[in-house]
Amino acid sequence: MVGALIAMDNNALSVMLVSRAIDLLPIPAVLVVLGPGGVRVEASNSAFDAAGLGPAERRPSLIAQIEPQIVAFIRGESLRAEFRIDFGDVVDGRHYQATLARLIRNPEQRCILTLVDQTAELRTEHNLRREMLTDSLTGLPNRAGFSDRLEMLIEDPLKRDRYAVLVIDLDRFSRVNACLGSMAGDELLITVARRLKGALRAQDVLARTGGDEFAILLTLEDGAIDAEQVSKRIFGALATPFRLSDFEIRVACSIGIAFGAAEIDDAEELIRHAQFAVKRSKVTGKSEAYQTQAFDIAREQFGIETALRRAIERGQLRLCYQPIVDLATGRLVAFESLARWRDEQGTEYSPNDFIPVAEESGLIVPLGRWAIQEAAATLAGWDARLGGDCGVKLAVNLSAIQLQRDTIAPVVQAALDCNGLSGQRFTLELTESALVSDPDRIAGIMHALKALGTTIAMDDFGTGYSNLAYLQKLPIDVLKIDRSFVTGMLADRDKIAIVRAILSLAQALGMQTTAEGIETVELSQTLAALGCSFGQGYFFARPLEADAAYAMLVDRRH
């Protein structure tokens, strides 16, 4: 009996001491005990009471909410446990980090619960994350926010093939920004966002994923037809002109579509597919769905770009040389330099494959510089082997992209000076497309090249757009008639008429002519009779390696 009283006094004393201890804590804390009726509070501090964590009307106490965790802890063997608690409603709820600690010397089923209020930190974190995922101008999700929402759909196995991504690119936005200023551009984007939102259904998600790019996460109820219908509504929404300042401006758009599929598990990959389809939409003028084959071709081109960059750095390219002959006398007058590339595995790449990749990637600049220097070095080497001027010119092709991005005249000057050559030994060939891109600038470049003494030839003449006024003003020496007009010419009256017209134009402008693609003696003789100056083609020789070209040069000198 006395022992029981002593034990009771010890328990009461223990509770009293703990309650005094927790009352000193600045954070909410309670002493809880597990009894026959469940968990109950034996003591709580003022911070716990002030936080309103006890029972209230229509709301259980925090202890009742986490009773299963407390029971599991007391019955277990751990000395400490931590977990998070969300207490209250959505608007005024609080977020706590809870810690349960065992009373080691107390045999009773008691523990202490302490709470650290993390509401402010979590709300700040939530607000920062929301800002990171939101476009500040339009209030729409940005690229990261759009990707997050797309990832949620991708992870849902029931919806993997029930959605599509639409990417919308505004075609004239950069011009608006440049002409009217950034404020007008911002106003346009906000208005576009409103119109796009109005063209969508409630369940569809609109985002601004780039400067002039929007994306839509589209829920498909009737399959692909939903995407087509939404595309039509978008085109219609943007068809009405936008009023900016004193102007009414129509902004067209291009739309690319990529459909979700079970095998796609990367949100960014699906967005890239839709962006890739936008490129095709820019060409066709209508919405376009992503096609796997086109993307595979693009991947292959990226592979070529990587390999080509290494090949240029390692000096793995070479020039071949196709002879150009005077049709009246048969004399060898020049060689056209043509880039060739064989990789380390022995794979030969066609110029039709790697030159467009070089132009698109910007590698045409180092490639073009190498070709100019290599051709000059080859010609100087032939001169040295023959003890003087070997009697031929070398022609080098200049890309339209190369003319836009590089300073060609100084590059040519440096190659000539380095190899001790005069400008008269070089012919520079450029296409009609180079003139169309920036006529005035290209005209200045051509005059600078002409000042070096070089010959200027217009390659593939007749296949593009030629402004006769520019032809008259520009320092062009030679018109090269494209092979498409020469091949089969003898059996096609229309081709003969075109060739005659080009020859007459060249004669009127005081230019010489070179016919490409001559494959028979009959073609050679006919073109000579019509007054064509020079010819090249398989009838004379295919493109030759440097040593074979030199051997032909030596043979023709005797």
Side-chain angles (χ1 to χ4, degrees):
M1 179 68 177
V2 174
L5 289 173
I6 293 174
M8 182 181 68
D9 290 342
N10 286 339
N11 289 339
L13 180 62
S14 175
V15 170
M16 182 182 68
L17 292 175
V18 172
S19 44
R20 286 184 179 180
I22 64 175
D23 207 37
L24 297 175
L25 295 175
I27 59 175
V30 292
L31 174 64
V32 294
V33 61
L34 176 60
V39 175
R40 60 183 174 83
V41 175
E42 279 198 321
S44 62
N45 66 1
S46 56
F48 183 88
D49 299 332
L53 300 175
E57 185 180 357
R58 298 180 182 178
R59 188 196 69 188
S61 70
L62 180 139
I63 300 301
Q65 179 178 320
I66 63 170
E67 182 171 351
Q69 290 97 313
I70 296 174
V71 171
F73 174 75
I74 290 176
R75 290 177 175 173
E77 298 180 358
S78 300
L79 297 179
R80 181 186 180 90
E82 293 184 353
F83 53 92
R84 213 180 87 174
I85 305 172
D86 299 320
F87 184 67
D89 57 29
V90 175
V91 177
D92 298 323
R94 311 293 294 178
H95 308 282
Y96 295 96
Q97 180 68 25
T99 301
L100 293 172
R102 193 179 301 279
L103 298 175
I104 300 176
R105 295 183 179 180
N106 194 328
E108 301 294 330
Q109 293 186 317
R110 289 184 175 87
C111 69
I112 294 176
L113 168 67
T114 56
L115 301 166
V116 177
D117 192 343
Q118 295 184 327
T119 304
E121 291 87 342
L122 290 176
R123 285 178 179 172
T124 300
E125 181 182 335
H126 175 75
N127 290 336
L128 287 174
R129 177 169 176 77
R130 184 174 58 190
E131 289 179 9
M132 290 175 60
L133 300 179
T134 302
D135 174 52
S136 59
L137 178 65
T138 62
L140 298 172
N142 59 16
R143 175 69 176 260
F146 186 77
S147 294
D148 277 4
R149 299 195 184 197
L150 182 53
E151 286 286 1
M152 292 173 62
L153 270 182
I154 289 175
E155 291 171 2
D156 188 339
L158 299 178
K159 297 181 179 179
R160 280 197 166 185
D161 56 351
R162 303 289 296 173
Y163 65 91
V165 170
L166 275 69
V167 169
I168 304 158
D169 185 85
L170 305 183
D171 293 343
R172 301 177 63 195
F173 175 73
S174 58
R175 292 179 60 185
V176 173
N177 237 8
C179 298
L180 302 182
S182 59
M183 291 187 64
D186 290 347
E187 181 184 348
L188 175 62
L189 288 172
I190 293 170
T191 309
V192 167
R194 289 173 182 164
R195 290 197 188 179
L196 292 177
K197 194 73 174 177
L200 302 180
R201 303 162 301 179
Q203 67 267 36
D204 299 327
V205 177
L206 175 66
R208 182 186 174 209
T209 53
D212 57 354
E213 180 185 274
F214 292 85
I216 298 169
L217 182 52
L218 197 67
T219 301
L220 301 179
E221 297 176 350
D222 297 320
I225 192 172
D226 284 350
E228 287 298 325
Q229 290 174 346
V230 170
S231 297
K232 289 179 182 178
R233 291 202 298 271
I234 291 171
F235 282 128
L238 299 183
T240 304
F242 294 82
R243 178 170 288 280
L244 297 175
S245 300
D246 297 327
F247 300 96
E248 284 192 354
I249 300 171
R250 183 179 180 276
V251 178
C253 72
S254 303
I255 301 176
I257 307 169
F259 294 98
E263 62 271 15
I264 296 178
D265 57 3
D266 183 5
E268 287 298 320
E269 180 182 3
L270 196 63
I271 295 172
R272 287 195 300 270
H273 288 178
Q275 289 174 326
F276 189 81
V278 166
K279 295 183 178 181
R280 182 173 174 82
S281 176
K282 288 181 178 293
V283 176
T284 63
K286 59 183 181 180
S287 62
E288 292 288 345
Y290 162 75
Q291 298 177 353
T292 305
Q293 184 178 8
F295 195 70
D296 290 342
I297 293 173
R299 283 183 178 273
E300 181 182 352
Q301 289 178 332
F302 282 129
I304 292 176
E305 177 185 338
T306 301
L308 180 59
R309 180 175 284 106
R310 293 173 182 167
I312 293 173
E313 293 172 353
R314 297 172 182 175
Q316 294 175 342
L317 281 83
R318 69 190 193 282
L319 289 179
C320 287
Y321 303 89
Q322 187 169 31
I324 299 174
V325 174
D326 186 321
L327 292 179
T329 64
R331 183 173 62 90
L332 178 64
V333 295
F335 286 93
E336 180 181 358
S337 307
L338 302 167
R340 294 293 184 264
W341 172 30
R342 183 186 296 116
D343 65 17
E344 295 174 342
Q345 287 72 41
T347 302
E348 189 80 31
Y349 290 87
S350 168
N352 294 332
D353 293 332
F354 71 81
I355 294 297
V357 172
E359 291 181 329
E360 184 175 351
S361 64
L363 290 174
I364 194 66
V365 172
L367 176 59
R369 289 190 169 200
W370 164 81
I372 291 170
Q373 179 62 41
E374 181 71 12
T378 298
L379 187 57
W382 290 350
D383 286 348
R385 293 170 70 178
L386 290 172
D389 188 334
C390 65
V392 296
K393 296 181 178 182
L394 278 190
V396 178
N397 292 284
L398 299 179
S399 159
I401 305 298
Q402 183 184 2
L403 289 170
Q404 293 170 10
R405 300 186 183 183
D406 202 5
T407 52
I408 295 298
V411 170
V412 173
Q413 178 73 68
L416 293 173
D417 293 345
C418 179
N419 292 281
L421 298 172
S422 66
Q424 288 77 12
R425 304 293 304 283
F426 247 44
T427 297
L428 298 169
E429 300 186 0
L430 63 158
T431 61
E432 295 172 90
S433 60
L435 295 179
V436 177
S437 60
D438 191 347
D440 294 332
R441 182 173 180 275
I442 300 304
I445 294 173
M446 292 174 69
H447 282 289
L449 292 172
K450 192 64 182 172
L452 299 177
T454 63
T455 299
I456 306 294
M458 177 162 287
D459 199 10
D460 302 334
F461 185 77
T463 60
Y465 170 80
S466 297
N467 186 315
L468 295 182
Y470 274 110
L471 287 180
Q472 189 176 10
K473 294 176 183 178
L474 293 174
I476 299 173
D477 302 296
V478 180
L479 293 182
K480 297 194 72 174
I481 306 171
D482 187 71
R483 67 180 67 251
S484 61
F485 302 124
V486 175
T487 303
M489 183 185 80
L490 299 180
D492 191 330
R493 292 182 179 180
D494 291 339
K495 288 185 177 181
I496 292 178
I498 292 171
V499 170
R500 284 182 184 274
I502 294 174
L503 293 173
S504 298
L505 175 64
Q507 184 178 9
L509 295 175
M511 301 175 185
Q512 294 180 307
T513 50
T514 299
E516 299 177 305
I518 299 176
E519 298 185 0
T520 64
V521 63
E522 291 81 9
L523 263 178
S524 175
Q525 292 173 347
T526 301
L527 287 164
L530 291 174
C532 185
S533 311
F534 309 110
Q536 69 181 102
Y538 289 174
F539 171 66
F540 305 107
R542 292 175 178 270
L544 304 169
E545 299 291 339
D547 289 341
Y550 176 74
M552 181 178 184
L553 170 63
V554 172
D555 183 63
R556 290 294 186 100
R557 284 170 62 92
H558 298 300

